[in-house]
Amino acid sequence: MQSEAPSCWHVGTERESIKTMAIHTTPHSLPHLSPMTADASERLVMQVARHVEQMLQGGLIEPGGRLPSERTVALDLGVSRNTATAAYDELEQRGLIRRIRGKGSFMCSPRREGESFSWSGKISESAHLLDEPVLDMLARNGESGLPHPLSAGTPSLECFPTAEYHGCINKVIAKDFPRALAVAPTEGQPRLRRSIGKWLKVEANHVFITSGAQEAIDLLARCLIQHGDVAIVENPTYPGAIQCLRAAGARLIGWETDWSLEKLEQSIIRYRPKLIFTMPSFQNPTGRVMPLATRRGLLDLAARYHVPILEDDVYSKTYLNGRPAPDSLHKLDQHSLVVYLSTFSKMLAPGLRLGWMVAPLYMVKQLSLIKMRANLFTDGLTQLALSEFVESGGFDRHLEKLRRHHATLRDAAVAAAHPGIEEGLLSFHAPGGGLYLWCKVPHSVDMDLLLATAEKKGLTVAPGHAFFVEKTNSKYVRLCFTAASEARVKSGVALLTRILREHQAEGAVVSAADAARDATA
């Protein structure tokens, strides 16, 4: 459900700390205007507009606060309704207020020095849906400078095959550099499409290259969703998918990650969804794996009710302890129901910004038409270097090394969390793959305070509420155990346990004081 507050509230104000995730207070409303001093030298409409602007700038109302109705303005200032309406038209044109049909008029952020209008008032309703603080936090994780940045999802960059990748780039420059610099097909460099197709055992013309999995989700959302369409998504799930689908106009229905086929069928019958978005292998954030029988049941339901499936499979190759997940939905699919997407970001390095989709030919064409509006084609040098890397076997060798190192990091994180588990401060299932621990904390913990305290002490974690479809007071945090060195992962998890222990102790003191006060009342 969309917020009642206008889009200008979040977009133009000084943003709250994205890591503490502080909640906005309710903006003050302005029910009436003070009397206006008349000025015969100025048009009455402009006098009213200036008078309202001065009141807005006087601090009587916060950005996002409600203004008096046009009828109230007319009565307060002794002008006609048409004059009040024209004054509000002027203020809206300047971007200082926004009127929402059926809800009223709201203040946007004041314009800054040198601006002729406030940009916050010009931002569209759909752009407001893109304001996702958690995604911003995750994107900035690497430059935070904190000793324990465990919020963003990144593979261990200690394992990056620097020398081998450098050699691949040198080969491209020596043999194929003009092609790397030239205009290329929007669908991707043919060589990389062939390389990935051979690696996945699919036809190359079904492979579509993207700038990471995020672009793939965005393209699919824009291609398939019309405003008001229903999309079924796992709950919890990747925040970027929630953002892209909502921005495209989708209404999201959650499917819990116990993956009940009975509940899914009930939702399909009730909502008639346009698509199902799922991450069946080492799901983000839970790390869970959908059983093979459930995968087949999901495909049967999708075929019976003619619902496409978007399979986000970015983690299946990150399995640990030699135990891969079952076959992908795409591999099991016999009805061309599944669009498959993945990325090098979770297996090699996020900075490469290179992913892919495997889709029916008609979808490849449609996705290409949408992509070229904003991005004619993806970087050629990186595509050709990764073609060389995949074809040489270097990528498979890297994955073997990465999985061994990730298993060591996971074990280190689990061992460091053991005291917290014994004290009831943390609970989670150790994952068999992926990059995360999905940790539940005690219900009594104040999550905003926890996140703020952790940041002050040099630790970032991803807040659980961002992964849910509905607004929720989630008592989960997601830790990326591959985002730092083994020593930093251990000390980061230990630090989280200490913070939780301190919060529990402080809460006990407060509860005891409340109980004593009640007893003497």
Side-chain angles (χ1 to χ4, degrees):
M1 182 178 293
Q2 295 184 13
S3 170
E4 292 296 312
S7 61
C8 48
W9 178 12
H10 290 289
V11 174
T13 56
E14 290 295 327
R15 296 185 61 172
E16 75 273 31
S17 169
I18 57 178
K19 292 169 186 170
T20 61
M21 303 304 296
I23 300 173
H24 283 290
T25 56
T26 302
H28 298 301
S29 293
L30 187 64
H32 290 280
L33 297 180
S34 60
M36 177 180 68
T37 303
D39 184 352
S41 65
E42 187 177 22
R43 287 179 56 227
L44 186 56
V45 167
M46 299 309 295
Q47 288 186 58
V48 173
R50 178 170 50 78
H51 183 66
V52 175
E53 182 179 0
Q54 287 173 348
M55 295 197 71
L56 297 180
Q57 293 174 344
L60 297 175
I61 181 173
E62 296 177 7
R66 187 188 301 270
L67 277 70
S69 67
E70 293 162 17
R71 179 176 179 275
T72 300
V73 170
L75 292 172
D76 285 350
L77 302 184
V79 297
S80 70
R81 177 74 176 272
N82 288 342
T83 298
T85 298
Y88 270 28
D89 287 342
E90 173 67 21
L91 293 170
E92 188 168 39
Q93 183 65 29
R94 296 185 205 170
L96 299 178
I97 69 171
R98 168 162 289 150
R99 287 180 286 187
I100 301 178
R101 186 182 299 274
K103 295 180 181 178
S105 300
F106 300 85
M107 177 184 172
C108 295
S109 292
R111 60 173 178 249
R112 299 185 184 277
E113 185 177 352
E115 294 179 348
S116 63
F117 57 85
S118 173
W119 277 100
S120 69
K122 301 295 184 179
I123 299 299
S124 69
E125 293 283 338
S126 59
H128 168 58
L129 297 176
L130 304 179
D131 185 25
E132 176 46 76
V134 170
L135 288 182
D136 196 354
M137 179 190 74
L138 300 184
R140 297 176 185 275
N141 180 76
E143 62 181 38
S144 65
L146 298 176
H148 308 295
L150 306 186
S151 53
T154 174
S156 175
L157 298 181
E158 295 178 36
C159 292
F160 187 83
T162 304
E164 193 166 2
Y165 185 71
H166 190 257
C168 291
I169 290 178
N170 285 342
K171 284 184 181 179
V172 172
I173 292 174
K175 297 180 180 179
D176 215 7
F177 201 42
R179 182 149 53 114
L181 300 181
V183 173
T186 305
E187 298 88 346
Q189 287 280 354
R191 182 182 175 189
L192 182 58
R193 297 175 75 194
R194 290 193 298 270
S195 300
I196 291 176
K198 184 177 180 181
W199 188 64
L200 293 176
K201 298 181 175 57
V202 299
E203 295 180 24
N205 60 346
H206 287 261
V207 177
F208 186 95
I209 305 303
T210 62
S211 297
Q214 181 71 29
E215 184 186 48
I217 297 170
D218 181 64
L219 289 172
L220 287 163
R222 286 191 281 146
C223 184
L224 295 173
I225 295 294
Q226 297 185 74
H227 187 79
D229 282 343
V230 169
I232 292 177
V233 302
E234 289 163 344
N235 200 34
T237 193
Y238 170 51
I242 294 174
Q243 181 195 51
C244 288
L245 291 165
R246 279 202 172 129
R251 177 187 173 199
L252 303 186
I253 300 299
W255 182 31
E256 302 303 318
T257 51
D258 59 0
W259 289 301
S260 165
L261 293 176
E262 180 181 355
K263 291 180 181 177
L264 176 62
E265 185 169 19
Q266 290 171 357
S267 292
I268 291 174
I269 293 171
R270 180 177 179 182
Y271 297 108
R272 297 294 178 184
K274 190 64 159 296
L275 59 87
I276 297 169
F277 177 85
T278 179
M279 305 175 69
S281 299
F282 310 116
Q283 196 257 0
N284 177 17
T286 65
R288 294 173 181 167
V289 177
M290 184 185 291
L292 179 59
T294 306
R295 294 177 190 229
R296 289 185 169 132
L298 168 58
L299 289 168
D300 287 344
L301 285 177
R304 189 186 316 160
Y305 293 102
H306 309 289
V307 184
I309 297 173
L310 308 189
E311 180 181 19
D312 188 342
D313 194 44
V314 302
Y315 298 105
S316 68
K317 301 297 184 184
T318 65
Y319 60 86
L320 308 175
N321 303 327
R323 293 193 292 271
D327 285 344
S328 69
L329 295 171
H330 182 265
K331 188 172 183 179
L332 297 169
D333 180 21
Q334 298 180 350
H335 301 283
S336 194
L337 291 163
V338 179
V339 175
Y340 174 98
L341 60 102
S342 191
T343 179
F344 288 104
S345 294
K346 308 303 182 185
M347 297 180 278
L348 196 53
L352 294 174
R353 302 314 308 142
L354 204 64
W356 64 89
M357 286 184 275
V358 181
L361 294 179
Y362 180 81
M363 285 295 293
V364 169
K365 177 62 176 176
Q366 296 304 311
L367 292 166
S368 176
L369 292 172
I370 295 172
K371 178 182 167 79
M372 67 175 57
R373 295 175 198 166
N375 184 7
L376 284 176
F377 54 90
T378 303
D379 173 67
L381 179 59
T382 304
Q383 288 191 65
L384 293 176
L386 285 173
S387 302
E388 182 73 35
F389 190 51
V390 171
E391 291 164 10
S392 69
F395 188 41
D396 286 323
R397 290 190 296 273
H398 163 73
L399 284 173
E400 291 177 5
K401 177 182 177 183
L402 186 76
R403 288 191 282 259
R404 289 195 297 271
H405 186 57
H406 279 187
T408 299
L409 293 173
R410 179 205 56 189
D411 293 345
V414 171
H418 192 68
I421 295 171
E422 288 190 329
E423 296 175 46
L425 300 172
L426 286 171
S427 62
F428 58 84
H429 296 287
L435 314 181
Y436 313 112
L437 298 183
W438 180 238
C439 302
K440 189 172 185 179
V441 301
H443 184 74
S444 59
V445 170
D446 182 322
M447 291 300 294
D448 289 332
L449 183 58
L450 171 66
L451 295 168
T453 304
E455 183 189 354
K456 287 178 183 176
K457 296 189 176 185
L459 169 67
T460 60
V461 297
H465 68 80
F467 297 85
F468 288 90
V469 170
E470 72 284 351
K471 292 181 179 179
T472 177
N473 187 21
S474 168
K475 298 301 179 180
Y476 285 91
V477 294
R478 194 196 71 179
L479 306 180
C480 180
F481 58 81
T482 59
S485 67
E486 182 178 350
R488 290 287 176 87
V489 167
K490 286 169 127 178
S491 57
V493 174
L495 174 58
L496 176 62
T497 301
R498 288 198 301 274
I499 295 170
L500 287 168
R501 190 180 296 124
E502 291 167 3
H503 280 220
Q504 285 285 82
E506 292 170 2
V509 169
V510 171
S511 296
D514 289 343
R517 186 166 55 252
D518 291 342
T520 58

